[in-house]
Amino acid sequence: KEFITPTERIIIGWTIEVEEYEDKESLMDDFRMLKSRGLKVYIQYKNNEENKFVLYVGPTMDRDDSRDNLTKISDLTRFSPKIIPYD
């Protein structure tokens, strides 16, 4: 757990935001590809919008584990992944 200021919110986990999608087929192709690399992957609607999705890797309890996962996808230059707090 880490404390973040100024909000002083407790971080209970970390996740990697991989990419945003409007095309479900591309989303599922990338989902399967990341799963095939042995990563835990999940999808959420973006801001409850019906046709916008966000692909994530994680979550992890330790930010270092998310950093390790980030290195596993660093060769995929079409993504601009970033580690964010998981909530």
Side-chain angles (χ1 to χ4, degrees):
K1 295 180 181 178
E2 295 186 22
F3 290 95
I4 302 290
T5 56
T7 61
E8 297 186 358
R9 185 174 70 151
I10 297 173
I11 304 299
I12 59 168
W14 300 93
T15 193
I16 299 170
E17 184 180 294
V18 178
E19 193 69 42
E20 294 181 11
Y21 298 83
E22 291 183 15
D23 177 39
K24 205 169 191 175
E25 190 173 324
S26 295
L27 167 71
M28 293 312 297
D29 286 347
D30 288 345
F31 177 88
R32 285 188 285 273
M33 182 266 302
L34 293 173
K35 290 283 281 184
S36 74
R37 289 179 175 225
L39 296 166
K40 291 182 185 178
V41 187
Y42 67 101
I43 300 165
Q44 289 185 335
Y45 286 106
K46 180 181 179 183
N47 302 326
N48 295 318
E49 295 179 46
E50 192 171 315
N51 291 315
K52 292 193 179 186
F53 309 94
V54 182
L55 181 62
Y56 297 93
V57 171
T60 63
M61 296 293 287
D62 188 343
R63 189 178 179 125
D64 288 339
D65 292 335
S66 284
R67 279 195 202 103
D68 291 344
N69 286 337
L70 197 58
T71 62
K72 293 178 185 176
I73 61 173
S74 63
D75 62 312
L76 304 170
T77 56
R78 69 178 177 273
F79 298 136
S80 299
K82 59 185 176 189
I83 298 173
I84 59 171
Y86 176 77
D87 20 83

